[in-house]
Amino acid sequence: MAKSARRRMGVEERREQLITVALDLFGSRSPEDVSIDEIAERAGISRPLVYHYFPGKQSLYEAALRRAADELSARFVEPREGSLGERLLRVMGRFFDFVEDHGPGFSALMRGGPAAAVGGGDVPHAAGSARATIDDVRQAAYEQILAHLEVERPSARLALIVRSWVSLAETTALLWLDGRTVARADLEVQLVHDFVALAAVGAVADPELADLVRDLLAQEPPDGLFADLLTRLVTLVPEAPEAPAASRVPQDPHVSHTPHVSHTPHLPHAPRAPEAPRV
């Protein structure tokens, strides 16, 4: 019986197939460990035909890297439904889905090292191309967060906070991949908490940012993630101990005393000043 003829793919369709195959392989192992022969076998074509569509493994890797970057950037796109805390948590869920599905590939994408080590091309050009791709992902995430904040022209401090948070999410994911010692769900919540914590610290020195943080907190539900964080933080603040009865100064009943509120924080266990020597 004659074998059924294999369907002939067009140029773009074949390129897309090879990129998909390469992305799958690069996502499961380091790029330098994946061979052209393996890519060809997985795609069901010959090795020379792979080179017909891509000059070498480097160019195929860069195409797969771009596809991964576009997919990762899309994970930060979130409809403006619900509170900011809820939206950020959904974003982190999709972000870690990508990280978990493309572990080695994510590491290669964010660390940018293997792109120059794949071989078959200009190393400085490859490294520069990988860095540009990574920067595009970070910029896309940055712009999406600003869109959720409804800020078109952020202050220098707010821009720094958002970029720092994007970098923190990236670093956290890379560290999590190395050992997965902390539950993924816990890290997703932690990163949402990290965002509002960074914003709150910045708001202390920036009145404009303070107004933004107040508005965000006012829109959060009482049982939301931001409210949960504030509740937990309050429990960490120690209550000022009451002064011992022996140290209270007795008052003259014939003298009217106006209650006095001190604005100086109480310092527990503060050393007493030495008494003057008696003559």
Side-chain angles (χ1 to χ4, degrees):
M1 180 181 295
K3 294 181 180 180
S4 59
R6 181 178 298 171
R7 185 175 68 86
R8 184 181 181 85
M9 293 185 181
V11 174
E12 286 305 316
E13 188 179 6
R14 180 65 76 184
R15 282 179 57 88
E16 288 300 309
Q17 182 211 23
L18 288 172
I19 290 172
T20 300
V21 168
L23 183 60
D24 182 57
L25 291 172
F26 293 147
S28 58
R29 300 205 308 277
S30 297
E32 59 267 28
D33 295 334
V34 178
S35 68
I36 287 291
D37 289 332
E38 189 174 2
I39 294 172
E41 182 180 358
R42 181 74 66 89
I45 60 177
S46 65
R47 175 189 175 95
L49 195 54
V50 175
Y51 285 111
H52 175 73
Y53 293 100
F54 293 94
K57 192 168 72 169
Q58 179 65 53
S59 61
L60 181 53
Y61 174 79
E62 290 181 9
L65 197 66
R66 170 50 61 185
R67 169 80 68 79
D70 292 342
E71 183 181 343
L72 182 55
S73 298
R75 301 296 175 105
F76 285 88
V77 178
E78 171 67 27
R80 298 183 188 180
E81 299 174 357
S83 65
L84 179 63
E86 294 169 342
R87 281 178 267 163
L88 289 180
L89 186 61
R90 290 195 293 267
V91 168
M92 287 296 95
R94 290 195 303 273
F95 173 70
F96 272 90
D97 281 343
F98 181 93
V99 172
E100 195 160 26
D101 292 341
H102 305 286
F106 175 80
S107 297
L109 171 64
M110 289 305 172
R111 290 181 171 129
V118 170
D122 180 9
V123 171
H125 168 76
S129 176
R131 282 195 296 268
T133 301
I134 296 166
D135 288 342
D136 288 346
V137 174
R138 293 167 178 158
Q139 181 65 23
Y142 168 78
E143 291 174 357
Q144 283 298 319
I145 299 305
L146 288 182
H148 284 291
L149 296 175
E150 299 182 5
V151 175
E152 293 183 0
R153 296 182 179 180
S155 65
R157 192 181 299 274
L158 177 58
L160 181 62
I161 287 170
V162 175
R163 291 194 185 280
S164 296
W165 182 75
V166 171
S167 178
L168 178 62
E170 170 191 326
T171 303
T172 299
L174 288 171
L175 292 173
W176 177 74
L177 280 174
D178 287 340
R180 307 195 185 200
T181 55
V182 177
R184 169 186 153 176
D186 291 344
L187 285 183
E188 292 171 8
V189 172
Q190 177 181 311
L191 283 166
V192 176
H193 284 169
D194 288 337
F195 180 82
V196 71
L198 286 170
V201 171
V204 172
D206 187 333
E208 182 180 351
L209 182 54
D211 290 338
L212 176 62
V213 171
R214 289 191 191 96
D215 290 342
L216 292 176
L217 294 178
Q219 297 170 17
E220 289 291 314
D223 58 346
L225 287 177
F226 292 173
D228 175 64
L229 174 63
L230 294 176
T231 301
R232 291 171 183 267
L233 288 177
V234 168
T235 63
L236 299 178
V237 180
E239 296 182 3
E242 186 178 352
S247 64
R248 296 173 187 167
V249 179
Q251 297 181 354
D252 188 334
H254 302 290
V255 179
S256 175
H257 295 278
T258 303
H260 173 69
V261 178
S262 174
H263 296 283
T264 304
H266 177 77
L267 298 178
H269 309 297
R272 297 181 178 180
E275 296 182 358
R278 298 181 179 178
V279 178

